[in-house]
Amino acid sequence: MPELDGLETTRLIRSQEKLGTHLPIIAMTANAMEGDRENCLRAGMDDFISKPIVSGRLQEVLSRWLPATVAASHQNPSAAPPDTESAARRDSASPSDSYLTSSDD
């Protein structure tokens, strides 16, 4: 991110959250040094996964934060009906609307 790194972006998002709302933020970073996870969590991120991404680990982390119906549909695509409103929002979202934050600088 050109102007803000993942930690600063997370702090900004958290400072603007309305009471009773919470956007899950998961760090995806190549930085896997001692203390990186703690720095991400301290900044307000909910979880942390380091690169290289292993699909099973990614699925495990995402299942903790996705609504149950979404998580179930990823495990069994016929388990949940399509959500056309969410798909339309996702398809029209700009790159800045991304909800996965990378903490790489």
Side-chain angles (χ1 to χ4, degrees), residues 30-84:
N31 297 328
M33 307 267 302
E34 182 82 27
D36 287 336
R37 177 181 175 80
E38 291 76 19
N39 288 337
C40 290
L41 297 176
R42 197 174 315 118
M45 294 181 188
D46 297 292
D47 219 325
F48 179 96
I49 188 167
S50 60
K51 297 175 186 173
I53 303 299
V54 176
S55 63
R57 174 74 176 126
L58 178 61
Q59 184 174 2
E60 174 189 324
V61 170
L62 291 176
S63 69
R64 275 185 254 175
W65 302 105
L66 291 173
T69 55
V70 174
S73 70
H74 285 281
Q75 292 175 355
N76 180 2
S78 63
D83 182 352
T84 55

